[in-house]
Amino acid sequence: EQVSTDDTEFDMLVDLTPSPETTAADRADLRALLACLDQLADGPRRAILAAYLDGASGEEIASRLKTPIGTIKSWIHRGLAAVRECLGR
């Protein structure tokens, strides 16, 4: 027997909308992350944002920032460690 895959029926059965509590927790997590990123020096912060928000490769970041690839890798590694420590993780 064929099962109906009508999206409207599915949406009525499963509410995928986050709860207000989940939304508030997500916003608090984002604020904490941004505060930790703000504590980084400009170079490491820009390298991390380029890698994770733009999806840029190490080579692309090195080119953008006119910085050797080894420095970029170091900035990202140390910057992420500092962010983890700042977040208490």
Side-chain angles (χ1 to χ4, degrees):
E1 181 177 336
Q2 184 88 15
V3 177
S4 172
T5 57
D6 183 4
D7 288 341
T8 306
E9 286 181 34
F10 180 77
D11 290 344
M12 290 172 50
L13 294 173
V14 179
D15 183 8
L16 299 177
T17 305
S19 69
E21 295 83 11
T22 300
T23 301
D26 289 347
R27 286 184 180 151
D29 288 347
L30 179 58
R31 282 193 299 273
L33 175 60
L34 293 174
C36 291
L37 285 169
D38 282 345
Q39 293 178 14
L40 298 177
D42 187 55
R45 182 178 52 254
R46 290 177 65 198
I48 289 170
L49 292 175
Y52 286 90
L53 295 183
D54 298 342
S57 69
E59 291 80 14
E60 291 170 330
I61 298 167
S63 176
R64 284 186 202 174
L65 300 181
K66 297 179 178 37
T67 304
I69 184 68
T71 301
I72 297 299
K73 290 179 180 182
S74 200
W75 281 351
I76 292 173
H77 179 76
R78 291 181 184 150
L80 290 175
V83 168
R84 277 191 296 276
E85 183 177 326
C86 176
L87 292 172
R89 297 180 181 167

